[in-house]
Amino acid sequence: DLNTILLCGINAQSAMNSQPWHFSVLTDDETLAALDSGSSAPTGAEDESAEDAGEDAAPAASDTAKASVADAAAAIVISTGDALKWNSFDAGGACDRMSIAARALGYGSKIVAAPCDTINANQAWKDYLGIPEDMEAIAILLLGVEDTAVDGSSGASVRNDISDVVTLESAQ
């Protein structure tokens, strides 16, 4: 399932087929907890390849509606560079594709950004995650068990009204 999710991101469309992203997969509970708490990066290189990651990992259920990195069974760190102004847009689209794939496979997913500050401020984290020199983490996709106690619509944060965010052209 994890490979399918990653392939959906890899195969997302991008401007001029630039594919301006790098994905780093975390499945170790201690590593996820360290990132969540802002601790130092683990020492040493990761042992799991993307192909093996997550196959034996049982998604962890959360007691809260607001899942954190430490609650996830797996996290995918999405990184991109600034070479072209649309790189972040394209990488965000790849992240969204992976989120949709996870949901279609029956997993819960959540996109967070705050832990990216920890990663980008610490070269040890960037090295551990294999983030290329010219890139920075921009989002983290959390994967795990869907919290069925929270309705995806009514449990979501308050959304802006359509009239506040949409301009509809009208024929005169």
Side-chain angles (χ1 to χ4, degrees):
D1 287 351
L2 189 53
N3 280 340
T4 299
I5 293 166
L6 289 163
L7 286 171
C8 286
I10 290 167
N11 288 299
Q13 71 273 16
S14 62
M16 300 181 331
N17 196 28
S18 59
Q19 303 172 49
W21 45 66
H22 178 84
F23 308 128
S24 305
V25 180
L26 300 173
T27 59
D28 178 70
D29 290 340
E30 290 180 22
T31 305
L32 292 165
L35 181 57
D36 195 33
S37 69
S39 298
S40 299
T43 56
E46 286 197 32
D47 296 321
E48 292 183 326
S49 69
E51 230 171 271
D52 297 331
E55 288 181 12
D56 298 325
S62 173
D63 295 329
T64 66
K66 299 277 187 180
S68 68
V69 175
D71 295 319
I76 302 172
V77 179
I78 295 90
S79 302
T80 193
D82 273 343
L84 302 170
K85 63 183 175 184
W86 52 78
N87 283 357
S88 292
F89 181 82
D90 288 344
C95 180
D96 191 48
R97 287 273 179 113
M98 291 188 287
S99 178
I100 292 167
R103 298 293 309 247
L105 291 167
Y107 298 98
S109 70
K110 179 180 179 181
I111 301 169
V112 298
C116 293
D117 291 341
T118 297
I119 294 168
N120 294 328
N122 187 321
Q123 189 61 43
W125 269 113
K126 290 180 78 172
D127 292 344
Y128 182 78
L129 295 170
I131 297 174
E133 188 78 24
D134 60 340
M135 292 188 172
E136 288 195 340
I138 61 164
I140 301 172
L141 177 62
L142 307 180
L143 305 171
V145 173
E146 182 175 12
D147 186 350
T148 57
V150 177
D151 176 321
S153 297
S154 63
S157 56
V158 177
R159 310 309 295 171
N160 293 326
D161 186 75
I162 192 169
S163 63
D164 294 333
V165 296
V166 174
T167 301
L168 181 61
E169 176 187 39
S170 60
Q172 303 247 345

